[in-house]
Amino acid sequence: MVRCVLLFTVLVGMALPLMPSVRAICTASVSADRVAACAFNPLLLLVERSGWVLSKQNCGETIGPEAFTVPPVLYYDYTEPDHLYTVVFVAKESGHPDPFDGGERRFYLQWLVVNIPESSLAHGMTYMDGDTIVDYLSPGPRSANADEDDGHPTRYGFYLYEQVYGAIYPPTPSTREYFNLDGWISTIYPEAAVCGPVASIGFGV
């Protein structure tokens, strides 16, 4: 019996250094160089007023900004029962990077909602669901400033995160510009309380 316990202790001691941290398993960074909104499980977005749909089949397409003048309805089929979720809607920052950026991933924040019930996503999350941290701002075309216009569409992405420990009460970002997504997630207590992205969808304008 003692020999078995010793063997188990040795095996655990050897395995622990090889195990990644909870945050490494739980979160994936979103590259600011390319809003990789088609890289995760697909969300489905419906604009009720126009009937326009964004799904896995047309993820990444360039569309007119009028398609999202009002908040879309978000659907996700693979929610965990009784869990809450966070939706982040961001755009790739155009123009020159923040000189104090330090290489961190920063975006323009379009919309931020937390504490969304899984039932809302299953039946269609609207702007009335969850707790809005930053109000919805419809996407627009890239600035006409010659220094910022590189001839490519502005990339937008909706990202869904799972709140593994229930309701969260995060800080409100001080500005929409140069929103540090990874940094904002790191401020939420306890560590690894927000996991993901578990789903996403994106487009260009």
Side-chain angles (χ1 to χ4, degrees):
M1 180 67 180
V2 174
R3 183 176 298 175
C4 291
V5 172
L6 289 174
L7 179 60
F8 176 79
T9 303
V10 170
L11 291 174
V12 170
M14 293 173 62
L16 282 176
L18 301 177
M19 292 182 180
S21 66
V22 173
R23 178 163 293 278
I25 298 172
C26 179
T27 59
S29 293
V30 179
S31 171
D33 296 326
R34 180 176 59 86
V35 179
C38 300
F40 305 95
N41 291 326
L43 288 168
L44 187 145
L45 272 60
L46 168 65
V47 182
E48 290 185 316
R49 184 176 298 177
S50 65
W52 200 88
V53 175
L54 182 65
S55 66
K56 179 180 180 180
Q57 284 68 36
N58 59 350
C59 184
E61 286 189 359
T62 300
I63 63 174
E66 67 279 358
F68 287 105
T69 54
V70 296
V73 180
L74 278 68
Y75 293 87
Y76 183 56
D77 292 334
Y78 304 107
T79 54
E80 292 291 333
D82 301 321
H83 277 213
L84 299 174
Y85 289 82
T86 291
V87 166
V88 182
F89 177 32
V90 293
K92 175 186 174 183
E93 276 283 16
S94 59
H96 300 291
D98 182 354
F100 302 103
D101 190 358
E104 295 174 320
R105 300 165 180 84
R106 300 192 180 218
F107 304 94
Y108 191 89
L109 181 60
Q110 304 284 141
W111 195 24
L112 180 56
V113 185
V114 302
N115 300 328
I116 303 164
E118 53 86 17
S119 57
S120 295
L121 289 161
H123 297 98
M125 173 217 160
T126 71
Y127 69 93
M128 294 183 291
D129 294 315
D131 298 327
T132 299
I133 303 299
V134 176
D135 289 333
Y136 181 83
L137 180 66
S138 60
R142 183 182 293 275
S143 169
N145 187 316
D147 291 334
E148 296 182 359
D149 189 358
D150 59 5
H152 295 93
T154 302
R155 309 308 306 178
Y156 290 87
F158 286 86
Y159 296 92
L160 182 68
Y161 291 82
E162 182 180 345
Q163 298 172 202
V164 294
Y165 301 130
I168 60 174
Y169 305 95
T172 300
S174 59
T175 178
R176 292 180 185 268
E177 291 185 318
Y178 299 112
F179 174 59
N180 184 343
L181 178 55
D182 292 345
W184 179 79
I185 290 174
S186 71
T187 65
I188 299 171
Y189 181 84
E191 184 177 4
V194 175
C195 290
V198 295
S200 62
I201 202 77
F203 58 93
V205 170

